[in-house]
Amino acid sequence: MPQRRRCGVLGDPISHSLSPVLHRAGYVATGLDWEYDARRVPAGTLADVVGSLGEQWRGLSLTMPLKREALPLAAEVSDAARLAGAANTLVRSDDLTWSAGNTDIGGARAALAERGVTALTSATILGGGATASSTGLALCDLGAREVRLLVRSADRAAETASVLRSHPGRPDVVVAGLDDVVTGDVVVSTIPAEAQEAGLVTRCADVPVLFEVLYSPWPTPLAAAADGRVLVSGLDLLVHQAALQFGLFTGVDAPLDAMRAAGEQALAARGAS
């Protein structure tokens, strides 16, 4: 009897991850007898862990702090992962080599498109870390040519600014403080809920689209103030990037509705506990 196929999510911390919930729901909905688990993998140890995996392992979802460590482990690197300088996906081929991809970018595009946002000219991103890089590249794919990065520390945003400027669209990227002006067709928040102070919420009020990448706690101050505007949530992003991974891992179209419903139920249960 052939071994059951296995996939999983690796990172540190990892106990909060909804990825097992989403992927397992996908397996149930499509009738796949696969396994998907979460495993804590600290920074600096990814190569050893990947090297120890048996032949039944077919896909890995990667979260912080492993997304940059994944690139040297892959025989092939997708254009998106190379542009971002980070991979959230490792897919194993039949020859047992790994390919690296980045479904965060495509997931962000799909999450925006689902809410009717398919073209942009300018945007503001709150925060300057890895999530700002991937969502920023998605915004540039949708046409944004002016991107403002509002951050607490300009030095910490230097890498993200460089990544966005390397996009083929060659956007104009401005780095400023969190207390600066918020403008554009969309504002993307990648900052913690506790950093969303009242003045910042007010400055974001006139931007027609809010993309809040958090899904817990929910609603964040920014999301709570988004009545009447287009709101893209962190769960939207998570489900769409997971659906793209699901297809890469299994070769089967992802059951998006089933995966989303499972994620909503899991978050509701967490909120009730």
Side-chain angles (χ1 to χ4, degrees):
M1 178 180 295
Q3 291 181 308
R4 176 182 289 181
R5 301 290 194 181
R6 297 188 67 184
C7 298
V9 58
L10 312 181
D12 185 22
I14 201 63
S15 60
H16 68 288
S17 177
L18 279 179
S19 292
V21 171
L22 301 182
H23 284 264
R24 289 170 186 168
Y27 298 158
V28 171
T30 55
L32 290 175
D33 186 24
W34 286 40
E35 296 180 10
Y36 191 103
D37 298 297
R39 179 172 177 179
R40 178 178 172 269
V41 176
T45 66
L46 181 61
D48 289 340
V49 170
V50 171
S52 72
L53 298 179
E55 294 184 8
Q56 71 272 31
W57 283 85
R58 308 312 291 178
L60 297 172
S61 309
L62 304 172
T63 186
M64 298 303 291
L66 306 175
K67 294 183 180 183
R68 300 195 187 281
E69 287 185 41
L71 296 178
L73 307 181
E76 293 185 33
V77 177
S78 72
D79 291 341
R82 184 174 291 106
L83 185 61
N88 75 325
T89 307
L90 284 173
V91 183
R92 207 173 203 178
S93 303
D94 290 339
D95 64 4
L96 301 185
T97 61
W98 296 90
S99 59
N102 188 311
T103 65
D104 288 332
I105 300 170
R109 287 199 309 268
L112 285 160
E114 185 178 42
R115 303 295 180 219
V117 183
T118 58
L120 301 166
T121 59
S122 60
T124 293
I125 302 174
L126 310 179
T131 304
S133 292
S134 57
T135 54
L137 288 172
L139 300 178
C140 293
D141 285 347
L142 295 177
R145 293 298 173 262
E146 297 179 9
V147 180
R148 294 174 57 79
L149 289 175
L150 303 191
V151 296
R152 284 173 284 191
S153 170
D155 290 343
R156 295 181 61 184
E159 187 170 4
T160 291
S162 177
V163 166
L164 298 185
R165 289 177 181 128
S166 71
H167 186 275
R170 296 293 183 263
D172 179 23
V173 179
V174 176
V175 179
L178 271 178
D179 58 352
D180 211 290
V181 177
V182 178
T183 62
D185 304 313
V186 59
V187 58
V188 179
S189 177
T190 71
I191 62 175
E194 57 268 25
Q196 299 177 12
E197 49 86 23
L200 177 62
V201 173
T202 299
R203 291 197 304 279
C204 293
D206 292 333
V207 179
V209 179
L210 171 66
F211 191 165
E212 169 58 87
V213 305
L214 297 181
Y215 56 81
S216 180
W218 191 264
T220 64
L222 281 168
D227 287 348
R229 293 184 287 154
V230 175
L231 174 61
V232 184
S233 74
L235 183 61
D236 295 332
L237 172 61
L238 183 67
V239 168
H240 278 286
Q241 69 82 22
L244 292 172
Q245 285 184 336
F246 185 97
L248 292 171
F249 293 164
T250 67
V252 175
D253 289 341
L256 189 70
D257 290 343
M259 294 171 73
R260 187 195 305 277
E264 290 172 345
Q265 291 170 7
L267 287 177
R270 288 183 185 182
S273 63

